[in-house]
Amino acid sequence: MHFNTHFNDIAQSYLFSTIAQKVAAYSAANPDKTILRLGIGDVTLPLAPAVIYALHGAVDEMSKKETFHGYGPEQGYDFLKESIRGYYRTNGVELEPDEIFISDGAKSDLGNILDIFAADNKVLVPDPVYPVYVDTNVMAGRKVEYMNATAQNGFLPMPDYSVDADIIYLCSPNNPTGAAYSKAQLKEWVDYANAKGAVILYDAAYECFITEEGLARSIFQIDGAKTCAIEFCSFSKTAGFTGTRCGYTVVPLALKRDGMSANKMWLRRQTTKFNGVPYIVQRGAAAVFTQEGQKQIKANIAVYQSNAKIIADCMDDLGIWYTGGKNSPYIWLKCPNGMDSWTFFDYLLENIQVVGTPGAGFGANGEGFFRLTAFGSPEVTKEAADRIKKLLSK
Ligand code: MLT
């Protein structure tokens, strides 16, 4: 018997687990210090009242014989798929119900989707990158190639026709850099993928933070995307579902290679390995798309956007270079005084007890950068900005 030796090729601990361990150790050694957490992108506002109301209603349904729900459809209930279709329509995208698969979150599906791809596919990811894209491929034994995302290209790498990729990961607005592709830029990627027969795995988890015109909210707003892309979405950042768990993946019926349908394979995969998201949670998720739900989640997103501005203003005051924050809940900044990412992490933790995420944790090009999240409470964000300002203007 042998275990999967590809696990020897990934870091021993997942980035955010490593950070949590470091912070826990610091906290245990310094119990009197108040730690301000702007590291992992976890939301802090409670679920919207419309969602809570729907969750309560669904719990009550489960208490009665007539309205009880056992196993549901593995790919999600029609009521939620219809709500999602309606939302896409507002962005000018028409989807078939069978193209939408409800899941327990984008992170799971981004890893699970690899079941439908061949082991020898060549994988292209930006550097820096959300570590899940890399680790899940390396665990499965695939080789990963990197494309440089740097300040020079606005952290938005564009296709290079001399590279033959099979699977391409794009995340926009981007985690960790906050950069977002325009529709024109995404069109270039779609054309490249169709020309090469590649598939784009498009992570749209941060779509709700887009404020500027001309940026894509879905890759399916781009002509030709349905023959080359799969889109991953989440209620986590949009509606505070990080602990409630719900997301969805759009696999177009038109996405076929060698006579095989990605949609049919994903359905086969999900019906075999997944029993669906709880009925109660799907009812809560559907409430996000009601008029009331939309109003309430937008109010919550506005709080996080105002937090992003607090952090951005702090960087402006200090003359620190940064990007993101505008169409994204992440501020991606250059570590001051030439510090490397982990040195800056320790410097902030030890001196002012502010936790962020070292850019180097997202890839080699992240070295010398640092990510702060806007998902804290306004109080914590202001306090963290004050502490950073005081420390760095010394
Ligand atoms: C992050 O901080 O990068 C995200 O919270 C990770 C995630 O969504 O899984």
Side-chain angles (χ1 to χ4, degrees):
M1 200 292 293
H2 302 287
F3 283 125
N4 178 352
T5 53
H6 297 303
F7 275 65
N8 294 328
D9 303 329
I10 52 173
Q12 213 159 25
S13 156
Y14 181 57
L15 172 63
F16 292 103
S17 313
T18 306
I19 293 171
Q21 282 157 19
K22 269 185 166 259
V23 175
Y26 178 85
S27 177
N30 301 274
D32 53 318
K33 302 275 195 212
T34 311
I35 296 175
L36 306 179
R37 292 164 205 271
L38 301 183
I40 192 164
D42 194 5
V43 294
T44 49
L45 287 168
L47 294 171
V51 172
I52 293 293
Y53 183 80
L55 290 172
H56 278 298
V59 168
D60 287 343
E61 281 186 69
M62 295 298 267
S63 72
K64 298 185 205 95
K65 196 163 77 236
E66 302 72 36
T67 49
F68 169 77
H69 285 77
Y71 288 130
E74 290 89 345
Q75 60 274 42
Y77 284 101
D78 285 342
F79 64 81
L80 180 52
K81 295 210 257 176
E82 280 309 316
S83 302
I84 292 167
R85 283 181 85 202
Y87 179 68
Y88 269 73
R89 222 169 269 138
T90 64
N91 288 327
V93 176
E94 198 53 53
L95 297 178
E96 295 299 324
D98 286 353
E99 295 183 309
I100 302 167
F101 295 81
I102 311 302
S103 73
D104 65 340
K107 176 176 165 180
S108 327
D109 271 12
L110 278 157
N112 295 337
I113 196 75
L114 295 175
D115 278 3
I116 72 166
F117 289 94
D120 62 354
N121 276 333
K122 193 155 136 193
V123 180
L124 192 59
V125 300
D127 171 8
V129 66
Y130 178 42
V132 169
Y133 312 156
V134 175
D135 290 358
T136 51
N137 274 290
V138 175
M139 281 175 189
R142 280 192 200 84
K143 293 260 172 302
V144 173
E145 282 202 20
Y146 293 93
M147 46 186 170
N148 287 322
T150 61
Q152 284 70 43
N153 61 16
F155 294 100
L156 295 169
M158 295 305 292
D160 171 355
Y161 278 79
S162 69
V163 175
D164 288 317
D166 298 309
I167 304 173
I168 303 152
Y169 286 83
L170 298 179
C171 174
S172 179
N174 188 265
N175 179 14
T177 68
Y181 281 112
S182 69
K183 287 181 188 163
Q185 288 172 314
L186 267 192
K187 174 73 178 138
E188 289 188 41
W189 272 113
V190 165
D191 288 347
Y192 167 88
N194 278 321
K196 297 278 183 189
V199 172
I200 297 173
L201 301 181
Y202 189 77
D203 184 349
Y206 300 94
E207 166 270 321
C208 63
F209 284 89
I210 289 177
T211 56
E212 286 176 321
E213 289 296 312
L215 301 181
R217 290 186 171 272
S218 159
I219 195 162
F220 299 120
Q221 290 179 306
I222 312 302
D223 272 351
K226 284 194 178 166
T227 52
C228 70
I230 295 175
E231 179 158 291
F232 301 83
C233 304
S234 165
F235 292 93
S236 287
K237 321 289 159 141
T238 313
F241 273 57
T242 49
T244 311
R245 307 307 311 151
C246 197
Y248 52 96
T249 294
V250 179
V251 188
L253 290 161
L255 179 53
K256 297 191 174 144
R257 294 289 181 270
D258 307 324
M260 295 176 85
S261 156
N263 182 287
K264 294 288 165 284
M265 290 172 76
W266 182 239
L267 178 66
R268 185 68 174 84
R269 190 268 173 212
Q270 290 297 80
T271 47
T272 308
K273 293 196 184 180
F274 186 53
N275 260 334
V277 174
Y279 171 76
I280 298 165
V281 171
Q282 292 193 54
R283 277 288 174 203
V288 166
F289 297 105
T290 61
Q291 228 177 10
E292 240 190 324
Q294 283 291 299
K295 212 167 105 195
Q296 293 164 357
I297 63 153
K298 281 183 181 147
N300 286 356
I301 290 165
V303 171
Y304 298 136
Q305 285 169 327
S306 129
N307 287 345
K309 175 138 179 28
I310 291 170
I311 301 170
D313 287 348
C314 166
M315 297 304 140
D316 283 335
D317 289 350
L318 289 165
I320 290 178
W321 186 95
Y322 68 93
T323 178
K326 220 183 228 161
N327 301 296
S328 147
Y330 297 125
I331 309 278
W332 179 252
L333 58 109
K334 187 114 193 69
C335 299
N337 308 322
M339 272 185 261
D340 68 48
S341 301
W342 281 104
T343 303
F344 190 52
F345 173 89
D346 290 334
Y347 182 69
L348 290 187
L349 180 61
E350 278 157 26
N351 287 287
I352 54 170
Q353 294 75 51
V354 169
V355 178
T357 309
F362 297 101
N365 283 337
E367 183 55 278
F369 290 90
F370 200 74
R371 194 193 76 175
L372 291 171
T373 158
F375 285 123
S377 70
E379 298 73 32
V380 163
T381 308
K382 274 190 211 109
E383 173 67 22
D386 286 347
R387 290 190 195 178
I388 291 172
K389 224 184 282 179
K390 227 186 200 160
L391 178 73
L392 295 179
S393 49
K394 261 194 215 154

